[in-house]
């Protein structure tokens, strides 16, 4: 029986060593695959780093170009703003001048209207006076004519 025990221990030891060898081979293969994967990841990371570096450089160049264009466009915007301010000032000045001219024209028209009313009033007064004199003169003339007309009749009657 001891023999069977030794044989069974030897068989168990061989199985144990075989299983350990298989496990070690599997672990070795897994470690090798992990190593290959890590190497591939390292290469991919390096390539990605180079691509990101190129992208960042391109982005910096683009940002510099955009900054130059914005800097070049800024004086144009400033001139547009200044033009707007000038137009607002001119519009305000034109409005002030227009108001002054309108006020002056209205006062001139009102003065002219008042003067014309006074002149027309004077003219009507003179016309009234003239018509009154005309009527008086006509009345006197008519009276003279009637008296002359009556005188020749009187002389004919008295003769």
């Amino acid at each position: 029986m001891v023999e069977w025990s030794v044989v069974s221990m030897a068989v168990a030891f061989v199985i144990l060593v075989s299983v350990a060898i298989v496990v070690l081979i599997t672990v070795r293969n897994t470690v090798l695959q992990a190593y290959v994967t890590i190497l591939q990841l390292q290469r991919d990371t390096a390539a990605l780093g180079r691509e990101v570096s190129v992208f960042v450089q391109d982005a910096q160049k683009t940002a510099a170009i955009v900054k130059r264009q914005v800097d070049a466009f800024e004086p144009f915007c400033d001139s547009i703003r200044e033009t707007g301010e000038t137009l607002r000032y001119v519009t305000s000045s034109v409005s002030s001048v227009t108001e002054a001219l309108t006020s002056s024209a209205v006062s001139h028209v009102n003065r002219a209207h008042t003067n014309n009313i006074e002149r027309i009033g004077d003219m009507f007064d003179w016309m009234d006076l003239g018509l009154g004199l005309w009527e008086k003169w006509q009345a006197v003339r008519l009276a003279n004519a009637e008296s002359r007309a009556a005188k020749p009749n009187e002389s004919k009657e008295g003769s």
Side-chain angles (χ1 to χ4, degrees):
M1 262 223 244
V2 174
E3 296 169 358
W4 284 104
S5 294
V6 172
V7 170
S8 69
M9 280 180 70
V11 169
F13 183 73
V14 169
I15 291 175
L16 183 63
V17 169
S18 297
V19 168
I21 290 174
V22 169
V23 167
L24 286 175
I25 290 173
T26 304
V27 168
R28 181 178 176 262
N29 286 339
T30 303
V31 167
L32 284 175
Q33 286 177 350
Y35 178 72
V36 168
T37 303
I38 289 174
L39 285 178
Q40 183 63 36
L41 184 62
Q42 191 177 18
R43 277 187 239 120
D44 290 346
T45 303
L48 182 62
R50 286 188 299 272
E51 288 179 16
V52 167
S53 175
V54 168
F55 176 74
V56 167
Q57 288 173 353
D58 288 346
Q60 287 175 339
K61 288 177 186 176
T62 303
I65 290 170
V66 167
K67 185 180 181 319
R68 280 194 309 267
Q69 289 176 347
V70 166
D71 289 344
F73 190 68
E74 189 173 340
F76 178 70
C77 291
D78 289 342
S79 69
I80 287 176
R81 187 185 74 249
E82 289 171 3
T83 302
E85 290 173 0
T86 302
L87 284 175
R88 184 175 56 236
Y89 175 74
V90 167
T91 302
S92 174
S93 297
V94 167
S95 178
S96 297
V97 168
T98 302
E99 287 177 22
L101 287 175
T102 301
S103 174
S104 174
V106 166
S107 67
H108 180 72
V109 166
N110 286 338
R111 234 179 303 123
H113 178 70
T114 303
N115 288 342
N116 286 339
I117 287 175
E118 289 174 7
R119 287 182 190 159
I120 290 173
D122 290 345
M123 185 181 73
F124 279 121
D125 289 343
W126 283 104
M127 279 179 58
D128 239 359
L129 182 65
L131 284 174
L133 288 174
W134 175 261
E135 287 175 357
K136 295 271 186 197
W137 183 66
Q138 290 296 325
V140 169
R141 203 175 113 210
L142 186 61
N144 283 340
E146 285 179 1
S147 71
R148 274 191 228 156
K151 280 185 186 179
N153 289 339
E154 289 176 9
S155 20
K156 289 182 182 176
E157 288 178 10
S159 317

